[in-house]
Amino acid sequence: MSFAQSKVHKMTDTKKRFPLLILSAVLFFLIICPLVTIFVRAVITDGRLDFGSAWQTLTESKNAEMILNSLLLGAAVTVLSTIIAAPLAYLFTRTSFAKYRFFDIIFMIPFMTPPYIASMGWILFMQKRGLLQQLLPFTAGCEKIFFTFGGLTLVMSLHVFPFMLTILKNAMLNIPSSLEEAGAVFGAGFGRRLRKIFLPLLSGNYAIGALLVFVKTIAEYGTPATLGKRIGFNVFTTEIHRYATVAPIEFGKSAALASVLVGICLGMWLLQNYITARKSYALVGGKGGRLNIAKLSLPARVLGWIYIIAVMVISIGVPYFSVISTSLINLRGVGFKAGNFTFQHYIELFTENKKGIQAIMNSFILAVSAATICAILGTLIVIAVRNSKSKLKKAVEAMGLLPEMLPGIVLVIGIMLFWNKIYKIIPLYNTFGIMILAYVVLFLPYTIQYVTSSFTQISNSLISAGQVFGGSPFYIFRRITLPLISKGVLTGWMMTFIIAFRELVTASLIAPPNTLVVSTYIVREFEQGSVSIGMAMAVLCVLFTTTALLILNTVIDRQKGR
């Protein structure tokens, strides 16, 4: 190759890598810099390296107890969510209950419900002279049982068990009945087949689900901030939040705790990858797998229905009943009685309550802005990664997906520290713009995952055909690629919009003074005693996001039908 040809080749290669280089710089600035700032802030005091300060924070008696609380809560929620989900998974895969596919949607409702709203519903239901005691006076005193570590574990488990249910169901569907039949042929009873065949094959998937539930639990802020605070049970997220928001502000301590939380979460992710590599079984082959659906006896069917309905009542019925009924109660002193219901609280939100209207508008603007930016940036990242052969593409993809692996509160703390540090250069901190930026960082992985999924279904021959017929890269993208990935872009946009609209931890930490969104408005009204107004907003929040999700599913179904 001549010198001129070599120079042209290098220029062409650099031109192809340029979009990837730009995106890597953007992601490094938005995601990596805030994370690095956390670790730096944790070990640097007054401009000098000081591990002693961080160690002192971690070994303080209250913080050491808090770390143990977090680990204990994570383990307890993992166990209880397994106890709730495992029987449901078996009923919906191995018995005649498998034909009721609508349960797949019903049991996703607890997971789609904001945790802080569900926990408020439980508080209103179980508190002294709450809804339960108004309906059933003989239950007086039950609040002493609920407002404990056990009650906190129950409420958090009811939020994450659908996640465990989905993982166990998918795993059970991949275990062919022929393996159990082989055990039966050799004389093994049901218990022995369950112990020697079924559970070992399930163990790898279960371990992955358990680790994910554990990480999600210790990273959760909403329920510990509402219910946990009432019982004095502090965990990582509530303490990180307290150090960053309550005077005297101690960002060093907040960063130290955030660093430990990141370490635990990353350790769990590495353990999950190890288990995935070591405990995976090839159960789906070319011959396909056959599932035998057991026909239950009448007593077994009755027990199955009782269990399913009981889980639905405690995971969906109780919190939604509490939230909706409280939003309709006129005088809380009178309580749950005929003639004491009104729609006035909803009317106030749109007439007399200017802060409520402003909170809805703020949430809407934030959600639309974040979802749109995530859709554009995420799509550009996926396209750049797919069209590049550079080794840099793996780093870009990893940076884009990194926020999914980390607790939201950690990233928000990092964004606060980093953008406060560069305020004189870019005065974005303490503005509405910093909230949009934080939402983009947190929810970018949704778009990347959905668009990547759409891309995997596109054959390279379609792109090649466009090139053969003289189409420019932009023309091919506009007429071939974009229409085929539009469903993934739309799904990512809508999921980002739904989650951003009700986001709590980001708004509570980084919102400018006197700026309320739906989530912080609900929490503020709940804590200040205007519970009915707060619950009216909660009902509207759930209705709005649920409607958006139903619209998304309808659009996707119509596209599939074309």
Side-chain angles (χ1 to χ4, degrees):
M1 185 183 293
S2 66
F3 175 76
Q5 289 176 323
S6 176
K7 188 173 181 180
V8 169
H9 179 75
K10 288 181 179 180
M11 289 177 64
T12 303
D13 188 52
T14 302
K15 187 177 179 180
K16 289 181 178 179
R17 291 172 58 189
F18 184 72
L20 210 60
L21 290 170
I22 294 295
L23 289 171
S24 65
V26 170
L27 293 177
F28 186 85
F29 187 73
L30 292 179
I31 299 171
I32 304 301
C33 287
L35 280 177
V36 172
T37 304
I38 291 175
F39 296 115
V40 170
R41 186 67 181 82
V43 297
I44 291 184
T45 305
D46 297 328
R48 58 186 179 82
L49 192 64
D50 181 15
F51 289 98
S53 179
W55 179 251
Q56 184 179 357
T57 298
L58 299 178
T59 54
E60 286 181 14
S61 58
K62 61 178 181 179
N63 286 335
E65 182 183 358
M66 174 274 300
I67 293 173
L68 291 175
N69 285 347
S70 299
L71 299 177
L72 179 61
L73 182 62
V77 169
T78 302
V79 171
L80 185 54
S81 63
T82 302
I83 293 172
I84 296 171
L88 291 174
Y90 191 85
L91 287 172
F92 295 149
T93 56
R94 298 287 170 155
T95 72
S96 53
F97 284 97
K99 63 184 178 182
Y100 301 116
R101 304 303 299 272
F102 58 85
F103 282 125
D104 292 342
I105 298 174
I106 290 175
F107 281 112
M108 285 307 295
I109 293 175
F111 191 68
M112 293 301 296
T113 304
Y116 60 92
I117 291 179
S119 63
M120 288 175 187
W122 273 99
I123 291 171
L124 293 169
F125 189 75
M126 296 298 298
Q127 67 186 354
K128 190 174 182 180
R129 291 186 292 275
L131 294 174
L132 177 61
Q133 294 180 26
Q134 292 176 33
L135 293 171
L136 304 172
F138 64 86
T139 59
C142 65
E143 74 277 0
K144 296 177 182 177
I145 300 173
F146 176 77
F147 288 97
T148 60
F149 173 74
L152 179 62
T153 301
L154 174 65
V155 174
M156 296 195 73
S157 299
L158 292 174
H159 174 66
V160 297
F161 88 86
F163 188 77
M164 180 69 77
L165 173 60
T166 301
I167 289 178
L168 292 178
K169 271 188 63 179
N170 291 336
M172 290 181 186
L173 288 171
N174 286 330
I175 300 177
S177 298
S178 57
L179 298 177
E180 295 178 79
E181 291 170 355
V185 168
F186 284 96
F190 176 77
R192 188 173 178 82
R193 295 199 306 272
L194 190 69
R195 192 172 65 254
K196 294 292 187 179
I197 299 175
F198 195 76
L199 292 180
L201 293 175
L202 202 63
S203 61
N205 294 86
Y206 170 71
I208 294 169
L211 290 174
L212 293 176
V213 168
F214 182 89
V215 169
K216 184 165 182 61
T217 300
I218 65 173
E220 175 59 44
Y221 171 75
T223 304
T226 50
L227 179 55
K229 188 184 295 185
R230 291 211 170 197
I231 64 175
F233 193 88
N234 297 317
V235 295
F236 268 115
T237 51
T238 53
E239 287 301 283
I240 292 171
H241 187 278
R242 183 177 67 83
Y243 282 128
T245 57
V246 179
I249 304 296
E250 297 178 282
F251 280 126
K253 291 186 176 182
S254 184
L257 294 180
S259 300
V260 175
L261 183 55
V262 168
I264 293 173
C265 291
L266 290 179
M268 288 297 175
W269 284 108
L270 293 174
L271 182 58
Q272 176 205 323
N273 291 331
Y274 174 81
I275 292 173
T276 303
R278 291 297 187 96
K279 293 291 183 178
S280 296
Y281 299 95
L283 298 174
V284 181
K287 296 182 179 179
R290 177 177 53 83
L291 289 178
N292 280 342
I293 302 300
K295 293 183 179 180
L296 299 176
S297 64
L298 180 60
R301 286 202 305 273
V302 171
L303 288 174
W305 277 114
I306 290 173
Y307 184 74
I308 292 170
I309 292 171
V311 175
M312 288 172 59
V313 168
I314 64 172
S315 63
I316 304 171
V318 169
Y320 276 93
F321 167 76
S322 300
V323 170
I324 294 171
S325 59
T326 302
S327 71
L328 297 173
I329 289 176
N330 186 24
L331 299 174
R332 292 191 66 213
V334 176
F336 196 82
K337 292 183 180 180
N340 191 36
F341 298 98
T342 179
F343 286 99
Q344 185 60 35
H345 305 301
Y346 292 92
I347 297 171
E348 287 181 18
L349 280 176
F350 295 99
T351 55
E352 302 174 18
N353 200 316
K354 293 183 180 180
K355 290 186 177 180
I357 296 174
Q358 190 60 51
I360 294 173
M361 290 301 300
N362 287 342
S363 289
F364 185 80
I365 293 169
L366 280 168
V368 169
S369 302
T372 303
I373 295 172
C374 283
I376 296 171
L377 182 59
T379 302
L380 290 175
I381 290 170
V382 175
I383 291 172
V385 168
R386 295 277 297 185
N387 293 337
S388 175
K389 296 181 180 179
S390 170
K391 294 180 180 179
L392 184 62
K393 69 178 185 180
K394 291 185 178 180
V396 171
E397 189 174 27
M399 283 191 288
L401 293 173
L402 184 60
E404 186 183 36
M405 301 169 57
L406 299 173
I409 194 169
V410 170
L411 279 170
V412 177
I413 291 293
I415 290 169
M416 290 173 65
L417 294 172
F418 176 69
W419 287 90
N420 186 35
K421 200 172 187 66
I422 63 170
Y423 181 79
K424 292 182 179 179
I425 303 172
I426 306 176
L428 190 64
Y429 185 74
N430 214 23
T431 67
F432 205 71
I434 195 69
M435 295 184 71
I436 296 175
L437 182 142
Y439 281 30
V440 169
V441 171
L442 286 173
F443 307 130
L444 181 62
Y446 289 103
T447 298
I448 293 176
Q449 288 176 328
Y450 284 115
V451 175
T452 300
S453 177
S454 295
F455 250 111
T456 58
Q457 300 173 20
I458 301 176
S459 172
N460 291 329
S461 61
L462 296 175
I463 309 299
S464 300
Q467 293 171 340
V468 167
F469 284 94
S472 65
F474 179 74
Y475 179 86
I476 292 172
F477 170 76
R478 183 169 57 88
R479 299 301 297 270
I480 300 176
T481 305
L482 186 58
L484 293 173
I485 66 171
S486 59
K487 185 176 72 174
V489 175
L490 175 63
T491 306
W493 189 96
M494 189 62 78
M495 289 302 295
T496 301
F497 175 85
I498 291 170
I499 298 172
F501 186 83
R502 64 196 197 189
E503 167 66 15
L504 173 62
V505 66
T506 306
S508 65
L509 277 170
I510 213 167
N514 300 318
T515 300
L516 291 173
V517 295
V518 165
S519 57
T520 51
Y521 180 87
I522 293 170
V523 172
R524 191 193 71 163
E525 296 299 307
F526 183 81
E527 292 179 345
Q528 292 183 355
S530 302
V531 178
S532 294
I533 291 287
M535 292 305 97
M537 179 67 87
V539 172
L540 293 177
C541 173
V542 172
L543 281 176
F544 187 76
T545 53
T546 303
T547 302
L549 189 60
L550 291 174
I551 292 172
L552 172 63
N553 289 333
T554 302
V555 172
I556 291 174
D557 289 340
R558 286 183 178 178
Q559 287 185 347
K560 286 180 180 178
R562 290 178 181 175

